[in-house]
Amino acid sequence: MPDIKTIADKADIVVNGYAFTREGDDIRVLNLNCPDKAVVFSDDGEVLETTMDDIELSIASRYLQQNLKYMED
């Protein structure tokens, strides 16, 4: 598994310790402070898989909605 610095460097954006990386039609989010917490969103924001609890998932989803415009090409 890549180290946290590599993941953060390859991320499209990093917001408050969460690395957001677009991979195809999906957006992968990793909590850099607790790397066992992650979520994969579809392009329209639907949760495809996650290891986050509901509260952290809500936070990651909000960060995605607020910053999605910075991930566009």
Side-chain angles (χ1 to χ4, degrees):
M1 178 169 176
D3 68 319
I4 300 303
K5 181 178 182 339
T6 302
I7 293 170
D9 288 344
K10 290 184 177 183
D12 294 296
I13 59 172
V14 175
V15 180
N16 288 338
Y18 291 89
F20 293 79
T21 307
R22 185 178 294 277
E23 288 188 9
D25 291 335
D26 299 337
I27 299 169
R28 297 182 175 276
V29 183
L30 179 70
N31 181 339
L32 298 171
N33 297 309
C34 189
D36 63 327
K37 303 296 184 186
V39 61
V40 179
F41 290 105
S42 67
D43 205 27
D44 62 357
E46 180 184 345
V47 175
L48 301 177
E49 57 184 291
T50 187
T51 57
M52 293 180 177
D53 62 34
D54 290 344
I55 294 171
E56 188 171 22
L57 189 57
S58 174
I59 293 167
S61 179
R62 184 168 30 100
Y63 287 157
L64 176 62
Q65 292 169 3
Q66 293 171 342
N67 295 283
L68 190 58
K69 61 188 171 213
Y70 301 115
M71 295 181 70
E72 296 173 358
D73 293 332

